[in-house]
Amino acid sequence: MATLTHQESATAEQLVVTDGARKTFITIIVAGVVILILGILAQVMGWGAEEHAAAGETAGHLGASAGHGAGASLEHEGSSTVVKRIIVSLWHSNVFFLGVSTIGTVFMAINYVAYAGWSVMVKRISEALSAWIIPGAVIMLVVFLVGRHDIFHWTHEGIMEKGNPNYDAIIAGKSGFLNLPFYLIRTIVYLAIWAFFSYKLRQLSLAEDQLGGTVWFHKSINASALFLVLYAVTSSMSAWDWVMSVDTHWFSTMFGWYVFASWWVSGIAAIALTAIFLKQAGYLRALTSNHLHDLGKLMFGFSIFWTYVWFAQFMLIWYANLPEEAVYYNQRLGGFEGHYTGIFYFNLLINFVFPFLGLMTRDAKRQMIIMKIVCIAILAGHWSDFYLMFMPATLKAESGFLIEIGIAAIFLGAFLILFTRRLASASLVPVNHPFLDESIHHTT
Amino acid sequence: MTKQFALGIFEDEDVLLHAVENVRAAGVKIYDVFSPYPVHGIDDALGIERSRLPIAAFFFGLTGLSFALWMQIYMLGFDWPMIIGGKPHISLPAFIPVAFELTVFFTCHGMALTFFTITGLYPRFKTHVMDVRATDDKFVMAIELDETGSQFSRLTQLLRDNGASEVNQKEMSKN
């Protein structure tokens, strides 16, 4: 490790996205399309159809035993299973990528408000992550307007009208919150707030690069503080709207934190992974193992935080054993003939046990190869965490992996193209940031 | 029995850090450095090996976890089985909060006790105050001399060249 006293100061570095990198992104998208087509073929050809019929019946029983019509949604589903799977996967991957994208701005805002110096070295990465917010917002609105009946039970025709055969008293009771105009307004407000502050902080940062001085820094702190207050509310509410309302009967007061924890730890993993890739490509010369160490500590700590929230939600429901709450874990642990049992335990292993043991030692956090493996595991793990939040309620036993992974790969490729384009549009080192020197001399 | 020390007094932590590197590069063994507050990077500059306390902490944690699980399984499963909330006698989710707490409890107490033991911080521990100003605003670098103290003049020059504001010789009794 370099000694403290002999270090050069950082200079501007310009990322050049090579043709090889671009080809890789396109390959990811093409691979996604191929997997998606395979998945569609598999579904249409009806491989494993018997299993579906049996599991569908179980779903009906589960719904009935819980005292409400969860199974009834099978009867008034609008689209064929293939279309339904594609729409739910689009929603699932989009919520994941949009959340990770926003975490870039949240991470930067927290560092501003805390007057943190060490993170200046990775600041441009967190800025660039938010490149996905606008496309993600557009996809979200389009998917909602086109396919909401396949995702949200509460949007079904007549479900809130007394006397209608679809009438559901519990859902009708939530009509004050879960109605189309209010839902759309809320979604647009969340997305607009996130997009605006991402844009604002990015502009301030770019102006600082050009003009220098501390005025941009103080403006950024003000914007960050305001954003964090708004994000605290909107992240929680978006989790109810976009994720929890797919299980319309069910509710959990931990859910906002649970979704945020998932987004947050994935966002930090994305930042760390990008920093490692850039470092290995010869960029970010002043980034040392000390910065990685701190990012590793955050990933380690927030993996435990995610588990804490997960368990806090699970244990109360398990202990109280109230049917309307326990049905959530019934479906995931043993429901639909054990369709989700494997991924339920996999989720805990990859999101808790693996980062916990893998990042426990100091040396592990300072080695690029271990950090890389854990980052990828966390990103894949939290994508499957969202899988587990969406699929049982929307697709019952009909979810699979080919279509879902194919769509996730298309999202990943597109995300990387926009992300690297924004990374390359400014210096990788914010040269006029007042805390840049502190970040260069950071030791852990 | 006494020991002789050369004490270099420094005004500034950055000067001190450079001096530590240069003095060590000149082949002189530094006994210790005393500062009013922790100086970032001083451990690396002094070449102090990293503590192995985290390894001990891991095993304390493992002990706590095993103890907590054994205790609850034995008490509620075998010694005095009780039905709580209609759950089986041995039901893991209910045991996790206690297991977590005892893991933390064992880890922090074990670490603190290990730390006190290996550093000798027991009651009536006597400290060797090289220079009382090290508790206020000065940084003190102590270098052990041999019995005759013959290297003192050479060390004085070396420390002064590296920014020491004064260099003193001090005799400490060894208890």
Side-chain angles (χ1 to χ4, degrees), chain B residues 17 24 39-50:
Chain B
L17 274 172
R24 288 188 72 215
V39 176
H40 265 290
I42 193 86
D43 310 44
D44 288 327
L46 281 169
I48 296 172
E49 268 185 51
R50 290 204 68 81

Side-chain angles (χ1 to χ4, degrees), chain A residues 1 4-5 311 318-319 362, chain B residues 17 21 44 50 58 87 93:
Chain A
M1 204 181 69
L4 187 76
T5 45
F311 185 72
W318 172 82
Y319 230 127
R362 174 188 158 93
Chain B
L17 274 172
E21 285 174 0
D44 288 327
R50 290 204 68 81
F58 179 75
K87 302 284 189 279

Side-chain angles (χ1 to χ4, degrees), chain A residues 56 108 137 407:
Chain A
M108 186 167 49
I407 286 178

Side-chain angles (χ1 to χ4, degrees), chain A residues 269-287:
Chain A
I271 292 170
L273 192 60
T274 317
I276 293 170
F277 275 123
L278 288 175
K279 181 77 184 170
Q280 287 181 335
Y283 296 101
L284 291 177
R285 282 186 297 273
L287 184 103

Side-chain angles (χ1 to χ4, degrees), chain A residues 166-201:
Chain A
N166 278 341
Y167 180 70
D168 185 320
I170 295 174
I171 294 178
K174 300 187 181 192
S175 60
F177 193 73
L178 290 178
N179 59 63
L180 207 54
F182 192 27
Y183 185 96
L184 271 175
I185 290 169
R186 284 198 308 268
T187 296
I188 291 169
V189 167
Y190 310 148
L191 295 169
I193 289 173
W194 299 357
F196 171 75
F197 280 95
S198 304
Y199 172 80
K200 175 90 182 154
L201 284 170

Side-chain angles (χ1 to χ4, degrees), chain A residues 303-360:
Chain A
S303 287
I304 297 173
F305 174 73
W306 173 86
T307 318
Y308 176 83
V309 178
W310 184 94
F311 185 72
Q313 179 173 287
F314 172 78
M315 198 189 72
L316 292 184
I317 291 173
W318 172 82
Y319 230 127
N321 207 14
L322 300 173
E324 70 264 32
E325 289 180 349
V327 64
Y328 188 79
Y329 288 105
N330 261 335
Q331 289 176 344
R332 280 154 185 81
L333 263 166
F336 313 117
E337 312 256 283
H339 190 73
Y340 295 100
T341 312
I343 190 170
F344 183 86
Y345 288 112
F346 169 77
N347 189 24
L348 285 178
L349 275 179
I350 198 166
N351 289 333
F352 172 61
V353 179
F354 185 63
F356 182 71
L357 295 177
L359 288 181
M360 192 180 265

Side-chain angles (χ1 to χ4, degrees), chain A residues 100-109 111 118-130 263-279 284 287 291-292 294-296 298-299 371 375 379 415 419 423:
Chain A
V100 170
S101 180
T102 315
I103 290 302
T105 308
V106 180
F107 183 77
M108 186 167 49
N111 281 302
W118 70 273
S119 60
V120 174
M121 207 48 70
V122 295
K123 176 167 172 273
R124 280 287 144 85
I125 300 173
S126 43
E127 272 172 29
L129 269 182
S130 59
W263 278 338
W264 175 243
V265 73
S266 321
I268 292 170
I271 292 170
L273 192 60
T274 317
I276 293 170
F277 275 123
L278 288 175
K279 181 77 184 170
L284 291 177
L287 184 103
H291 300 96
L292 285 185
D294 270 357
L295 286 167
L298 287 175
M299 276 158 55
M371 279 287 279
C375 285
L379 286 166
F415 182 90
F419 175 48
L423 263 182

